[in-house]
């Protein structure tokens, strides 16, 4: 029921595939129930740590097994609650999920121990909950009260939201209209003198390496506005195809290219295609190859004469924190997410997708710019604030065309804790889980008596 409510919008692509995915995702909830079945109200207070550890480890497993599906992590629910999500720069999103499960487990324990008049357990649980919540809130307040570091230089970015319906994106004869739309919005944005203009994923209707005429128009636009453009495009190289981000310099020439590393299973390729050929009849499959390098893009800013570096996350790559970390550790000073959520119509999908970008910004303490075909496009601060988004006159953020521009402060800095060390919190959860396994006889004994 939970997964049908959360990812119902996938039926716009495939009903059968959605049903299979939901059955698979539901197994993690079943496994959670199986692993904590001995943690009754009569068990030791250690369950306060064991239960959230199990939840976090299952979220981590879901995010990696079978290429991973880290959508709708429990911690993502706290995106509007900025003070709570600041701890993500130490623990990642996993720490926020842990905090929520711990708090809910403690509330149940507090109610039960008060009802049974077990006042020592009541006081211990209240103390543990108070300490953990206080630490999280104090740290969040500290991070939010600290001003963002002053920039050594400034970089002005414009994100374009073309609002091209999915059924039109690859329709024969639609290429001219699509380029007209992006050309108009880009020239309007260029009036604000940006240092970089960003188009969404697969924004170009022309394939690089196949449609020279179509791409020549994009090159000409780059020369006309004399501003670098980052655009999503499908690249044909020999017989192979890549989902790529292409950087054009101010002369309209290709200055960089990043090929998407983490492809969408059953959308851009079929896992184990040789063994499961029938899956081609279940879901629409692309024929895309993954990239091989964490390419950090670089722009020579004429205002400062200092190169500005950034990493690009294509489509749902912003769901995988290790990708963002590697870009930042590789020298990127800010992150860019280009995506196309037009597949999912007017649903909650783009809002859910935005949550992942918020956490990537906080985890790495960096600005993140988003350019989405039909929304949500805009900018996220290093503290997780959605600073601004593309909107129409009635404040609608999805399925509206437009652009948004923001000047961000650029400064060389050392990577933060999570960026540098990654998922150390997962190791802590593993240790708590293993301790629970050792204590299983004690955990299950009260259950057996009951």
């Amino acid at each position: 029921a939970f997964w049908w409510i959360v990812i119902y919008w996938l039926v716009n692509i495939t009903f059968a595939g959605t049903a299979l995915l939901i059955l698979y995702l539901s197994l993690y909830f079943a496994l959670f129930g199986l692993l904590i079945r001995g943690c009754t109200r009569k068990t030791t207070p250690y369950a306060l740590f064991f239960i959230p550890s199990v939840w976090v480890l299952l979220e981590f497993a879901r995010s990696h097994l079978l290429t991973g599906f880290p959508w709708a992590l429990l911690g993502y629910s706290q995106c509007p609650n900025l003070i709570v999500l600041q701890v993500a720069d130490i623990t990642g999103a996993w720490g926020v999920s842990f905090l929520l499960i711990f708090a809910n487990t403690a509330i149940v324990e507090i109610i039960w121990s008060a009802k049974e008049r077990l006042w020592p357990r009541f006081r211990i649980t209240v103390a543990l909950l108070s300490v953990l919540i206080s630490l999280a809130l104090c740290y969040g307040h500290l991070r939010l009260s600290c001003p963002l570091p002053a920039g050594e230089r400034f970089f002005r970015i414009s994100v374009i939201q073309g609002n091209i319906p999915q059924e039109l994106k690859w329709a024969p004869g639609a290429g001219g209209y699509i380029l007209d739309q992006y050309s108009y919005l880009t020239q309007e944005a260029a009036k604000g003198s940006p240092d970089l203009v960003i188009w969404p994923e697969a924004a170009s209707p022309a394939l690089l390496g196949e449609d020279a005429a179509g791409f020549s128009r994009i090159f000409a636009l780059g020369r006309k506005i004399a501003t670098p453009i980052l655009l999503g495009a499908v690249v044909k190289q020999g017989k192979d195809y890549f989902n790529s981000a292409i950087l054009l310099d101010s002369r309209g020439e290709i200055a960089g290219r990043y090929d998407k590393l983490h492809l969408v299973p059953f959308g851009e390729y079929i896992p184990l295609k040789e063994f499961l050929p029938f899956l081609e009849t279940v879901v629409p499959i692309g024929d895309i190859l993954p990239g091989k390098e964490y390419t950090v893009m670089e722009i020579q800013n004429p205002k400062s004469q200092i190169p500005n570096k950034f990493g690009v996350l294509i489509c749902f790559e912003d769901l995988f924190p290790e990708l963002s970390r590697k870009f930042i550790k590789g020298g990127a000073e800010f992150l860019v997410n280009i995506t196309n959520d037009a597949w999912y119509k007017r649903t909650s999908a783009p809002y859910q997708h935005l949550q992942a970008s918020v956490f990537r910004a906080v985890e790495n303490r960096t600005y993140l710019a988003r350019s989405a075909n039909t929304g949500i496009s805009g900018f996220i601060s290093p503290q997780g604030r959605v600073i601004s988004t593309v909107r129409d006159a009635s404040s609608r953020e999805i399925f509206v065309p437009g652009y948004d521009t923001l000047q961000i402060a650029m400064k060389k800095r050392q990577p933060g804790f999570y960026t540098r060390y990654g998922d150390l919190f997962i190791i802590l959860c593993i240790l708590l889980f293993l301790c629970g396994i050792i204590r299983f006889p004690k955990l299950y004994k009260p259950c057996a008596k009951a």
Side-chain angles (χ1 to χ4, degrees), residues 101-171:
I101 293 293
F102 185 97
N104 282 273
T105 305
I107 289 170
V108 173
E109 173 71 11
I110 289 169
I111 294 173
W112 180 81
S113 57
K115 181 180 178 181
E116 298 293 323
R117 299 182 183 277
L118 300 175
W119 301 119
R121 287 185 64 163
F122 177 88
R123 288 191 290 270
I124 291 173
T125 305
V126 170
L128 288 173
L129 179 61
S130 300
V131 168
L132 196 62
I133 295 295
S134 296
L135 286 174
L137 295 180
C138 288
Y139 182 76
H141 177 74
L142 177 66
R143 298 300 307 197
L144 290 175
S145 61
C146 293
L148 294 174
E152 298 170 342
R153 60 196 185 281
F154 295 94
F155 195 70
R156 194 169 178 83
I157 305 171
S158 291
V159 292
I160 307 297
Q161 185 167 303
N163 191 35
I164 307 299
Q166 189 57 39
E167 57 271 15
L168 194 63
K169 277 189 65 64
W170 304 110

Side-chain angles (χ1 to χ4, degrees), residues 156 158 187-195 303 403 405:
R156 194 169 178 83
S158 291
Q187 291 181 77
E188 288 296 303
K191 295 177 181 178
S193 301
D195 300 306
K303 299 175 185 176
Y403 64 91
T405 301

Side-chain angles (χ1 to χ4, degrees), residues 389-403:
T389 58
V390 174
R391 299 169 181 260
D392 67 2
S394 58
S395 292
R396 291 182 302 173
E397 296 175 302
I398 60 173
F399 287 89
V400 295
Y403 64 91

